[in-house]
Amino acid sequence: MTNAYPLALAAGALLGLLWLGLAPFERQAKADDSAARIDAGLIALFAGLLGGRLAYVVTHWEYFGNRVIESVWFWRGGLSWAGAALAGLLGVAVYDRLARRPFWPEADQLAIPAAIVGATSWLGCLVDACAYGRRTAPGLLTPPAPDLLGNLAPRWPTQAIGGVYTLLVLLVLFRLAQLGLRSGLLAAIALSLLSAGPLAIAWIRGDPMPVMAGLRLDGVASAALLALGLSGVVLRIRT
């Protein structure tokens, strides 16, 4: 199905915004809190799309350098999840600073929507054959799967692994959200878990990506975000 990825991404974003508007948060007593949460979600989404696309274009500049106009063709797919996550966090941090709202509670509220978007994005990739796995020997765990050009071969089922893993992370976050964790801890755990999956999957992905120190750049970025998330966990536990 052509354009399944952007459709899945849009569906995930819509579900995430519905969660922000309807889910029972501690601070939902005021109507303007619900509106502010949705505003933060929209800012995270907008900043994430820009950051994710920018990071993807930069890492694939060998292609986009001669096709600059295609850099803004968001509907064609091509987003860096790490760039999107970092830009989304920065966007919310700036918004909270300007609106004089606390950052950590806002980040906690965006943890589950982020996981929802991640899960639907993997589903979109499964249908559209993006983020496909490396070729390998035929086996039960490596069924025939296409790449973006339609070439069928036994591959690691990276999209399915990513989707199932992210759904499990989503279930974990649902449970943790009910435990009344210290402010900011849910967001830090979410960032850590959502980074660990792509880092592991980077070793078996087969789609083109520049390499640094023997690891794909998206894997390097995932490792950096995992370190950031774990640092946030330690920080929020100690404070």
Side-chain angles (χ1 to χ4, degrees):
M1 175 182 176
T2 305
N3 293 329
Y5 176 80
L7 289 174
L9 180 64
L14 179 59
L15 288 173
L17 291 173
L18 287 174
W19 168 264
L20 288 174
L22 301 176
F25 294 108
E26 291 182 1
R27 300 171 56 222
Q28 71 170 1
K30 297 181 180 180
D32 58 346
D33 278 343
S34 178
R37 288 197 301 270
I38 294 176
D39 287 343
L42 288 170
I43 288 170
L45 177 61
F46 180 71
L49 285 173
L50 289 180
R53 184 60 175 177
L54 177 61
Y56 184 85
V57 169
V58 169
T59 53
H60 293 81
W61 189 248
E62 184 177 350
Y63 173 87
F64 287 102
N66 298 320
R67 303 171 178 83
V68 178
I69 188 61
E70 294 186 25
S71 300
V72 296
W73 291 1
F74 285 84
W75 60 90
R76 294 287 295 273
L79 295 174
S80 162
W81 96 266
L86 184 58
L89 284 173
L90 290 175
V92 173
V94 171
Y95 165 75
D96 287 337
R97 184 62 179 264
L98 295 176
R100 298 182 178 180
R101 291 174 59 86
F103 170 73
W104 287 114
E106 204 96 80
D108 284 338
Q109 293 163 4
L110 292 172
I112 287 176
I116 292 173
V117 171
T120 59
S121 296
W122 279 114
L123 175 61
C125 277
L126 178 63
V127 177
D128 263 358
C130 53
Y132 54 86
R134 287 185 184 180
R135 292 192 180 198
T136 185
L140 181 62
L141 298 180
T142 56
D147 60 15
L148 286 173
L149 298 178
N151 298 315
L152 197 66
R155 300 181 187 279
W156 287 103
T158 47
Q159 307 103 322
I161 293 172
V164 171
Y165 174 80
T166 309
L167 286 174
L168 292 175
V169 170
L170 183 58
L171 292 176
V172 170
L173 295 178
F174 273 130
R175 178 56 183 150
L176 291 177
Q178 300 170 0
L179 299 181
L181 300 177
R182 181 171 298 180
S183 177
L185 191 53
L186 181 66
I189 292 173
L191 181 60
S192 301
L193 293 176
L194 291 174
S195 302
L199 174 58
I201 293 172
W203 295 98
I204 56 174
R205 279 180 61 168
D207 52 315
M209 173 63 64
V211 175
M212 176 185 294
L215 183 63
R216 294 164 53 100
L217 277 183
D218 51 2
V220 174
S222 296
L225 286 180
L226 175 58
L228 180 63
L230 292 175
S231 299
V233 170
V234 173
L235 174 65
R236 299 316 295 166
I237 290 176
R238 290 184 174 180
T239 56

